[in-house]
Amino acid sequence: MASEPNPSPTVSISPLLAALASPSSQHVPASEIASALALIFDNRLSPAQCSSLLTLLHVTKRDHDPLVIAKCASAMRSAAAQVDRTALREAVRRRGRKEGSYRGGLCDIVGTGGDGHSTFNVSTTASILASSLLLLSKHGNRASSSTSGSADLLQSIALKGPIIEAVTAATLPAIYSRTKYAFLFAPNFHPGMRHVAPIRKELGFRTIFNLLGPLANPVEGMLEARVVGVAHRALGPVFAEALRLSGATTALVVCGAEDLDEISCAGPTHCWRLVERANPAFRGSGNEQDDEYTTSDEEAPPRRIVAIEAFELRPEDFGLPEHALAEVLPGKMPRENAETLMRLLRRELPREDPVVHFVLMNAAALFVVAGVCDAEESAMGEGDDGRVVGERGPGQGRWKEGVRRARWAIESGEALRMLEGYIEVTNSLGIR
């Protein structure tokens, strides 16, 4: 009988670890850190050196360096199962619906977790609402620090839930040919993470991997817009810059004033928005349709730049009242949260229920960032009165229009149909 293949030989990163442990740790190049981290995905670091790397990044705060985060996220995506981009682009082109400044591309809404609040699964529910008008690539996993992660919630839907294992790099293009919603279960796309899981558990503190998730979406590079929640205010500008360095042009990073990785229903939310605009230093034609402009000067200013704008949002900016977090902190297990999700989608919760408002605000934010709220006309479908709310609030966003659209997603039944379509597609693939 043939013997098992020998595992990949381990690589020593002792010089890097010594540099990170030295007083000059801040000068260690981010690219070297990322190269070392990449060895983990091939199981080429010893447990001792792996734990040392994660610990040194933590104690030196290099895991909060935007460039380190961006380069490590890139390494993580490179090691992931690769999606056929050509087939996916074709599926997106056929399925996406342009509206306002939204071009019909893929979107995500995700949080870093770790805020300690254990609120209802807001971002997952908001992603389902958002799929009524956008193409959603919701990247997520099972619970790490909360009682109910996005995967736990979806797998706990009663009677007939989705088969989350059915959404893989191989099946994703075909899935988007039949539905606008896909949940990208992280273990399906990042198998190399299994090598570090036991070490992370034993370390007992949050490592750089807890920050990489929102930047490790397998369709990164094809995401048109996203909302990212961070658990601490200090992480907001860090994440916004990491997104910019990763090539993102349209995104909103949020942190509730209570250190909540969602838009808060209880008071202010700190926001950092990535906005693409014309570069005043650009020396070529002012006509953006002019593709003939070229230059041999690699240092020449680009035509467009991405700026980061900071502002605050409050429930009143969405036209909604404040609710204490205690009203949306059920502390429930996945099955109970799944019941709440289905009651919301089936319009069985009161229209002004605090959980409904909480979800509406977060779904509205993704609508605003994606650009559908820039449309001057509205033809969402049955039940849409077409009355666009043109009022602009902080960050020049039409937040109240976003709520109008999110309410339509619930009250028209379109969000429920999106979830049911996703469930049907994953069950039809026959993967268990």
Side-chain angles (χ1 to χ4, degrees):
M1 185 171 67
S3 60
E4 289 291 323
N6 291 327
S8 300
T10 58
V11 175
S12 174
I13 58 168
S14 294
L16 174 67
L17 296 177
L20 286 172
S22 74
S24 59
S25 62
Q26 300 306 310
H27 299 297
V28 176
S31 57
E32 292 185 14
I33 295 172
S35 294
L37 197 84
L39 296 170
I40 294 173
F41 307 124
D42 292 326
N43 199 25
R44 299 184 68 191
L45 274 190
S46 70
Q49 292 210 330
C50 180
S51 61
S52 295
L53 175 62
L54 297 180
T55 300
L56 284 167
L57 291 177
H58 180 72
V59 299
T60 60
K61 304 293 185 184
R62 291 305 304 276
D63 59 0
H64 283 44
D65 179 325
L67 186 57
V68 170
I69 293 173
K71 287 193 173 294
C72 286
S74 177
M76 187 172 173
R77 294 193 303 270
S78 294
Q82 298 300 304
V83 179
D84 182 336
R85 298 291 173 120
T86 301
L88 182 57
R89 285 192 185 93
E90 180 60 20
V92 168
R93 186 187 67 80
R94 292 176 178 274
R95 179 65 56 178
R97 175 176 174 265
K98 298 178 181 179
E99 186 172 10
S101 58
Y102 172 57
R103 303 189 299 275
L106 300 171
C107 303
D108 190 12
I109 178 168
V110 63
T112 60
D115 61 16
H117 290 295
S118 291
T119 55
F120 173 71
N121 297 91
V122 175
S123 64
T124 307
T125 306
S127 72
I128 295 168
L129 266 62
S131 68
S132 61
L133 299 175
L134 311 173
L135 285 182
L136 259 291
S137 290
K138 169 62 177 165
H139 187 222
N141 208 337
R142 295 193 173 91
S144 172
S145 57
S146 66
T147 55
S148 177
S150 50
D152 305 308
L153 174 78
L154 293 171
Q155 288 188 306
S156 297
I157 293 174
L159 299 181
K160 184 181 179 182
I163 301 175
I164 63 174
E165 294 81 6
V167 182
T168 67
T171 63
L172 193 59
I175 285 170
Y176 278 120
S177 71
R178 298 172 58 187
T179 180
K180 294 198 296 182
Y181 187 86
F183 176 72
L184 279 56
F185 184 42
N188 288 359
F189 293 86
H190 300 285
M193 286 295 293
R194 70 185 185 277
H195 302 306
V196 73
I199 294 170
R200 293 174 64 193
K201 186 174 182 179
E202 289 189 16
L203 285 176
F205 57 80
R206 292 176 66 79
T207 71
I208 191 171
F209 286 112
N210 295 96
L211 303 180
L212 296 183
L215 288 171
N217 193 311
V219 297
E220 182 72 34
M222 291 186 65
L223 284 176
E224 181 176 340
R226 76 192 90 193
V227 172
V228 178
V230 296
H232 303 288
R233 183 177 181 178
L235 279 174
V238 169
F239 245 86
E241 179 63 11
L243 282 165
R244 191 184 70 80
L245 291 171
S246 297
T249 60
T250 308
L252 180 69
V253 179
V254 300
C255 180
E258 312 85 358
D259 280 343
L260 181 73
D261 69 338
E262 319 275 4
I263 290 178
S264 177
C265 62
T269 295
H270 309 295
C271 302
W272 299 264
R273 187 175 182 181
L274 272 65
V275 180
E276 189 177 30
R277 57 168 65 119
N279 184 359
F282 179 66
R283 298 195 295 268
S285 167
N287 180 6
E288 295 203 12
Q289 304 304 315
D290 179 9
D291 293 328
E292 296 184 0
Y293 170 76
T294 60
T295 177
S296 59
D297 182 2
E298 294 182 358
E299 301 300 321
R303 184 188 294 274
R304 300 186 68 78
I305 56 174
V306 177
I308 299 173
E309 300 176 350
F311 54 91
E312 278 191 358
L313 283 172
R314 292 177 175 272
E316 64 191 51
D317 296 315
F318 295 88
L320 297 171
E322 292 186 3
H323 298 284
L325 281 187
E327 297 181 68
V328 291
L329 284 174
K332 301 291 180 66
M333 299 305 290
R335 186 166 297 281
E336 294 169 288
N337 282 350
E339 290 173 359
T340 301
L341 163 67
M342 298 310 297
R343 289 183 63 209
L344 184 150
L345 296 179
R346 290 171 179 150
R347 292 155 285 169
E348 295 170 358
L349 290 181
R351 198 171 187 267
E352 308 306 327
D353 187 283
V355 169
V356 173
H357 286 175
F358 198 12
V359 171
L360 288 174
M361 285 189 288
N362 283 273
L366 185 52
F367 283 147
V368 170
V369 174
V372 293
C373 295
D374 294 331
E376 297 301 334
E377 298 179 352
S378 177
M380 293 183 286
E382 186 177 350
D384 177 15
D385 61 13
R387 298 176 183 174
V388 172
V389 182
E391 176 187 340
R392 293 189 180 273
Q396 291 302 300
R398 288 179 170 177
W399 311 104
K400 292 177 182 176
E401 170 64 6
V403 168
R404 186 186 76 86
R405 288 172 176 269
R407 277 206 185 275
W408 172 84
I410 297 174
E411 295 177 0
S412 67
E414 188 66 11
L416 178 60
R417 285 190 286 274
M418 291 299 101
L419 176 61
E420 290 174 339
Y422 159 66
I423 291 172
E424 183 60 35
V425 169
T426 59
N427 277 267
S428 71
L429 294 173
I431 300 173
R432 292 194 177 274

